[in-house]
């Protein structure tokens, strides 16, 4: 038997590439684009969550590379590759959202978004603008200190998860309105931290001084209830966890678990000021800043076990979970809090079941792809061959000529910002070329 000439390996590998043309680097790739967008007339719903599906892609032009021998290996030069498939814009029906999830999470419509929270009168746009501007100044003030930066850093790490909770969960949005209490508190805080009324300086007044919303709750009552409901509604969004299964365990690496723990940490940080749902220690703006600046520098840390305890206290009958929490020095929920946990876990389960049945439907579909010139595969043969793929910049085009209205405009804007989608597509091309070259090299060696 005649052994192949190793000096002819580049040419034989180049010829063997014909067996791997075309390659199919991408069967299907779905990702979300935008939430709660007005859909075009004739669509299956008036509002929807937009998604993009790339599918049926083929990579052509692999059959005729130009081999170039080099010390220790060789390069395969591909004059032009075609990466072509389809891009389909999809939408799942979604309710119209009446909270400004991109701003201060304050209601801007007066429709009832569920039972329990009730409608909230809209804020005057100019007034809301003033409040948001002041909130930005307060955020900048917090960033002036090391401890403030730690607080903001932990929030910023999870703000995408919190935003998705309010976008996806009517239960969370409804709880946030709290019969107008959150809106009233936002306006009160704005005045207390500003100079509109010098007689109003305390951020969290005692009950005899001021209550909020139609149910006349104190500032602290609503603040701590909101902290707990965010913990619960965030973990309710975790698709890998069923709180009603007594054998279920939380995944410490889940982004929902991490965001829920961060919300618990914020509650503990607030308790360091001497405040709780039932205890009120009035604080002015300078008091709050001073407390943050004087902190010991470490954010409180909550464990997965503590989060599981909160869930268990809401789900289980009797006081066993509460007794265990007390023994471990963890938070023991009162009956009102246990009811809140049960209610939101139940509502979250209903929402997840409804979401599972809400399948995306196609809005528009068109050609998508690119012509990629100048690709080089650098091959270093050996026992375990190395293949490095170098791809120059290229334009990826999508036929969006049929996209109309708010949905089409929003999809175009979001696609231009979604860096991870472009990175994923580039990775698929690189992987397909690398695998084809390695297979051709194995075939050329016989």
């Amino acid at each position: 038997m005649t052994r192949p000439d190793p000096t002819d390996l580049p040419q034989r590998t180049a010829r063997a590439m014909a067996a791997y043309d075309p390659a199919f680097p991408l069967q299907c790739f779905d990702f979300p684009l935008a939430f709660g967008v007005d859909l075009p007339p004739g669509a299956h719903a008036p509002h929807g969550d937009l998604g993009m599906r790339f599918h049926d892609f083929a990579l052509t032009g692999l059959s005729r590379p130009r081999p170039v021998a080099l010390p220790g290996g060789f390069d395969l030069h591909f004059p032009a590759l075609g990466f072509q498939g389809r891009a389909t814009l999809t939408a799942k029906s979604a309710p119209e959202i009446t909270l400004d999830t991109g701003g201060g999470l304050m209601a801007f419509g007066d429709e009832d978004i569920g039972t329990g929270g009730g409608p909230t009168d809209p804020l005057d746009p100019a007034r809301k603008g003033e409040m948001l501007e002041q909130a930005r100044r307060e955020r900048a003030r917090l960033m002036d200190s090391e401890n403030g930066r730690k607080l903001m850093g932990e929030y910023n790490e999870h703000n995408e998860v919190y935003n998705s909770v309010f976008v996806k969960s009517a239960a969370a949005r409804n709880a946030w309105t709290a019969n107008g209490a959150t809106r009233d508190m936002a306006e009160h805080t704005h005045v207390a931290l500003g100079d509109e009324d010098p007689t109003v300086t305390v951020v969290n007044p005692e009950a005899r001084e001021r209550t909020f919303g139609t149910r006349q709750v104190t500032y602290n009552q609503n603040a701590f209830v909101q902290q707990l409901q965010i913990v619960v509604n965030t973990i309710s969004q975790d698709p890998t966890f069923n709180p009603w299964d007594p054998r279920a365990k939380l995944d410490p690496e889940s982004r929902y678990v991490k965001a829920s723990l961060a919300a618990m940490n914020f509650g503990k940080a607030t308790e360091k000021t001497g405040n709780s749902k039932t205890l009120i220690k009035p604080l002015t703006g300078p008091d709050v800043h001073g407390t943050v600046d004087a902190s010991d520098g470490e954010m409180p840390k909550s464990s997965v076990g503590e989060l599981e305890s909160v869930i268990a206290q809401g789900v289980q009958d009797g006081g066993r979970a509460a007794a265990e929490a007390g023994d471990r020095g963890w938070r023991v929920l009162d009956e009102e809090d246990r009811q809140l946990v049960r209610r939101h876990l139940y509502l979250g389960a209903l929402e997840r079941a409804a979401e599972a049945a809400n399948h995306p439907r196609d809005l528009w579909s068109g050609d998508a792809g690119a012509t990629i010139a100048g690709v080089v595969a650098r091959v270093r043969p050996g026992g375990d061959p190395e293949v490095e793929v170098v791809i120059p910049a290229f334009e990826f085009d999508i036929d969006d000529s049929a996209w109309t209205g708010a949905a089409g405009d929003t999809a175009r804007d979001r696609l231009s910002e979604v860096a991870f989608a472009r990175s994923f597509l580039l990775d698929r091309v690189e992987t397909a070329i690398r695998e084809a070259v390695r297979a051709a090299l194995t075939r050329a060696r016989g």
Side-chain angles (χ1 to χ4, degrees):
M1 179 177 177
T2 303
R3 295 174 64 93
D5 182 357
T7 63
D8 193 35
L9 185 59
Q11 288 75 18
R12 286 185 282 108
T13 303
R15 290 193 295 272
M17 286 294 297
Y20 306 98
D21 184 2
F24 300 95
L26 179 63
Q27 182 177 8
C28 190
F29 169 44
D30 290 87
F31 62 96
L33 275 182
F35 299 107
V37 178
D38 290 339
L39 299 184
H44 60 288
H47 308 282
D49 298 338
L50 297 182
M52 176 60 69
R53 183 171 73 252
F54 291 124
H55 55 104
D56 301 318
F57 271 78
L59 184 64
T60 58
L62 294 170
S63 63
R64 297 179 181 177
R66 179 172 58 89
V68 177
L70 297 170
F74 59 91
D75 286 354
L76 295 178
H77 292 254
F78 298 88
L81 299 180
F83 180 52
Q84 303 296 332
R86 302 283 290 176
T88 300
L89 194 63
T90 65
K92 294 193 299 183
S93 62
E96 184 175 8
I97 296 174
T98 59
L99 287 182
D100 177 12
T101 60
L105 293 175
M106 295 176 290
F108 54 78
D110 59 358
E111 297 87 353
D112 188 349
I113 57 173
T115 59
T120 301
D121 293 333
L123 285 165
D124 175 80
R127 181 65 165 175
K128 187 169 77 169
E130 294 172 1
M131 294 165 68
L132 290 175
E133 181 58 35
Q134 184 183 64
R136 296 184 187 102
R137 291 196 299 270
E138 289 298 318
R139 181 172 58 188
R141 167 63 182 82
L142 282 172
M143 295 295 286
D144 285 341
S145 70
E146 180 181 355
N147 295 328
R149 286 191 293 272
K150 289 179 180 178
L151 281 168
M152 292 306 302
E154 183 149 357
Y155 168 78
N156 290 333
E157 181 181 352
H158 305 289
N159 60 0
E160 181 181 350
V161 174
Y162 298 140
N163 181 69
S164 71
V165 169
F166 281 101
V167 166
K168 294 179 180 180
S169 174
R173 295 193 300 271
N174 184 65
W176 188 266
T177 63
N179 298 284
T182 303
R183 177 191 184 279
D184 287 354
M185 286 168 57
E187 289 206 272
H188 171 82
T189 303
H190 175 69
V191 175
L193 297 179
D195 54 7
E196 294 180 5
D197 186 347
T199 66
V200 179
T201 59
V202 172
V203 176
N204 59 324
E206 295 178 320
R208 66 175 182 271
E209 298 291 337
R210 175 74 194 272
T211 53
F212 302 87
T214 58
R215 295 190 177 178
Q216 300 298 296
V217 297
T218 67
Y219 196 107
N220 281 20
Q221 283 175 323
N222 189 46
F224 279 89
V225 165
Q226 296 298 349
Q227 180 265 338
L228 181 58
Q229 72 93 357
I230 289 174
V231 169
V232 178
N233 279 308
T234 299
I235 201 60
S236 289
Q237 292 290 323
D238 191 335
T240 67
F241 178 66
N242 178 8
W244 305 103
D245 180 355
R247 300 165 298 177
K249 294 295 182 181
L250 294 171
D251 178 5
E253 297 304 313
S254 163
R255 64 191 188 119
Y256 298 98
V257 171
K258 292 179 178 179
S260 293
L261 291 175
M264 292 179 69
N265 295 341
F266 275 106
K268 290 182 178 180
T270 304
E271 289 175 343
K272 283 187 172 184
T273 66
N275 283 280
S276 68
K277 188 173 72 171
T278 56
L279 297 176
I280 299 175
K281 178 182 177 181
L283 299 172
T284 65
D287 291 336
V288 174
H289 295 149
T291 299
V292 172
D293 295 343
S295 175
D296 59 14
E298 292 296 328
M299 276 288 292
K301 295 298 180 183
S302 301
S303 67
V304 172
E306 288 179 85
L307 179 54
E308 290 176 334
S309 172
V310 168
I311 296 167
Q313 289 181 66
V315 172
Q316 295 177 8
D317 295 328
R320 180 170 60 85
E324 290 179 357
D327 291 341
R328 293 176 177 268
W330 294 342
R331 178 177 179 178
V332 177
L333 305 184
D334 60 25
E335 183 54 35
E336 181 183 36
D337 287 343
R338 288 195 290 271
Q339 289 178 0
L340 182 151
V341 172
R342 282 194 297 274
R343 181 170 67 252
H344 284 284
L345 289 175
Y346 173 70
L347 292 174
L350 291 181
E351 289 179 339
R352 284 166 58 180
E355 176 66 15
N358 182 17
H359 302 292
R361 301 189 190 182
D362 295 353
L363 289 180
W364 301 289
S365 187
D367 293 332
T371 298
I372 313 172
V375 174
V376 177
R378 293 174 175 160
V379 185
R380 300 298 177 263
D384 184 14
E386 296 181 8
V387 179
E388 178 188 0
V389 179
V390 179
I391 301 179
F394 62 91
E395 293 291 332
F396 185 82
D397 297 319
I398 298 174
D399 180 7
D400 60 357
S401 58
W403 300 6
T404 59
D409 292 341
T410 300
R412 290 187 190 92
D413 290 342
R414 294 297 171 85
L415 270 175
S416 67
E417 300 171 356
V418 182
F420 84 89
R422 293 190 294 273
S423 297
F424 179 86
L425 294 172
L426 179 61
D427 177 73
R428 293 296 87 203
V429 172
E430 289 181 356
T431 300
I433 296 172
R434 184 179 300 108
E435 291 178 349
V437 171
R438 289 177 68 94
L441 180 63
T442 300
R443 184 168 183 162
R445 284 172 158 172

